[in-house]
Amino acid sequence: MSIAADYADFAARELRGVSRAYERLALAISEDDELLDLLGTLPPAKRQPNLLFGVVRLLGGPVGDPAAFHDFVVTHWLAVAAELRVRATQTNEAGRCAVLLPLLAALPQPLALLEVGASAGLCLYPDRYAYRYGDRRLGAGEPVLECTADGLVPPTRLPEVVWRAGLDLNPLDVTDPADVAWLDALIWPEHAHRRERLRAATAVAAAEPPLLVRGDLVDDLPALAAEAPAAATLVVFHTSVLYQVPRPRRDAFVDLVRGLPGHWISNEAPDVLPYDGLPDPPDAGLHNVLALDGTPLAWSRGHGQSMLWFG
Ligand SMILES: C[S@@+](CC[C@H](N)C(=O)[O-])C[C@H]1O[C@@H](n2cnc3c(N)ncnc32)[C@H](O)[C@@H]1O
């Protein structure tokens, strides 16, 4: 797909009805030859809309007006390109814990959590957050993760987590203001509630920072898994990660994780991690599939805001 088509497709598939500002930007860029030429000088993985928008926000550029955005990127191209080359989209969304929780709470306790593609590790604290599934509330304090859950009885207990660790090619540090600024820049402009959630989840994680290991989800998983306490149920999990992993490496990861003791929870788009016989998704929006040990159980929305159970 051309860069122009990529931006137009992203606007239609991911941004429409979700971020008006970014939808306008993506459509404008899809017809902006000067910006498309500049983006074309970068490796393919560095041309993505989300990455460009996040970098411009990080650098203090305007994202509300396509003409001002164009001028900023052209004027500051060297700085923009330098950031694009060293960064990747590492959006860390604690809200995804709300779709993991029904599975985590149902497994034999206590748990040893190992997240691959953990970013800053904010999804490693499902036991510390509060939840609201419709009118049912679970846990106390902040953040409160709201999730519309259809087709299942929401969990009534939090998991007991005795060990938590993350693996990432580039772990971010919740106690480093520069890393938190990058996480903030990755949140779409209209999503004030997600910005607030990031602030609250970061405070939870910073109070007891997770063990985060720099490494690859295939090469370095066995060694980290071996550190988990044997008396706890090992749960290897990942959400919105495998789209960043080349297909042969995804296949190698699936083979590897199936051979580990304990359980495997995945929450990934079905074009990335396919399953036979999936029911139709609830609507045309993009959805992930929540699965336990390779068995698909539910559709979930990207930021954990809803789930439809079918398993
Ligand atoms: C979009 S973020 C998702 C973060 C987190 N799972 C969440 O849902 O909030 C994807 C993360 O996967 C990491 N990642 C990508 N490929 C990886 C690999 N081969 N091994 C380990 N981490 C990887 C990236 O560095 C990034 O932090």
Side-chain angles (χ1 to χ4, degrees):
M1 212 188 274
S2 69
I3 305 175
D6 254 348
Y7 273 74
D9 182 65
F10 190 71
R13 285 180 0 118
E14 294 214 31
L15 299 172
R16 186 159 303 152
V18 185
S19 172
R20 181 73 189 115
Y22 279 2
E23 183 188 1
R24 283 171 53 206
L25 278 190
L27 288 174
I29 292 168
S30 75
E31 297 175 351
D32 184 330
D33 289 340
E34 191 174 9
L35 290 194
L36 292 171
D37 284 348
L38 289 174
L39 289 169
T41 64
L42 298 168
K46 301 297 178 181
R47 303 168 182 164
Q48 300 163 31
N50 252 342
L51 186 59
L52 175 64
F53 300 158
V55 160
V56 170
R57 288 196 64 232
L58 184 73
L59 294 174
V63 293
D65 169 37
F69 180 89
H70 169 102
D71 290 347
F72 182 90
V73 174
V74 170
T75 308
H76 300 91
W77 176 247
L78 287 181
V80 171
E83 292 289 351
L84 288 171
R85 285 181 188 279
V86 297
R87 292 188 183 275
T89 49
Q90 292 195 261
T91 308
N92 200 184
E93 182 46 76
R96 293 176 182 138
C97 286
V99 304
L100 301 174
L101 194 76
L103 295 181
L104 294 174
L107 291 173
Q109 309 291 313
L111 304 180
L113 296 182
L114 196 171
E115 182 181 14
V116 298
S119 184
L122 297 180
C123 293
L124 282 166
Y125 297 83
D127 52 329
R128 303 286 171 82
Y129 301 143
Y131 300 84
R132 191 152 46 221
Y133 297 95
D135 56 6
R136 297 204 189 200
R137 180 151 179 160
L138 183 61
E142 288 191 338
V144 180
L145 308 179
E146 299 206 25
C147 180
T148 307
D150 291 318
L152 86 159
V153 177
T156 53
R157 68 170 185 178
L158 294 172
E160 184 193 350
V161 178
V162 291
W163 184 85
R164 59 191 99 222
L167 191 57
D168 201 288
L169 290 179
N170 182 42
L172 297 177
D173 178 354
V174 289
T175 66
D176 179 344
D179 281 358
V180 176
W182 175 232
L183 290 174
D184 188 280
L186 285 167
I187 294 178
W188 296 355
E190 298 89 344
H191 292 190
H193 64 292
R194 292 182 57 215
R195 224 172 291 291
E196 182 54 27
R197 189 154 70 202
L198 173 66
R199 185 201 56 73
T202 301
V204 170
E208 188 196 318
L211 166 64
L212 289 183
V213 174
R214 184 178 297 274
D216 174 76
L217 52 69
V218 176
D219 297 337
D220 302 297
L221 176 58
L224 187 55
E227 287 183 31
T233 302
L234 175 66
V235 184
V236 177
F237 73 98
H238 48 97
T239 79
S240 301
V241 171
L242 294 188
Y243 75 95
Q244 297 187 356
V245 178
R247 181 163 294 283
R249 298 293 285 172
R250 270 181 234 162
D251 295 343
F253 168 73
V254 170
D255 285 348
L256 174 65
V257 76
R258 282 182 185 281
L260 290 175
H263 292 279
W264 165 41
I265 296 176
S266 55
N267 187 44
E268 300 284 346
D271 56 333
V272 170
L273 197 53
Y275 301 95
D276 290 335
L278 278 179
D280 290 336
D283 57 56
L286 284 185
H287 291 78
N288 286 328
V289 175
L290 179 73
L292 176 65
D293 299 326
T295 301
L297 296 170
W299 292 105
S300 68
R301 285 306 293 258
H303 301 136
Q305 62 272 55
S306 66
M307 66 192 313
L308 173 63
W309 206 266
F310 54 74

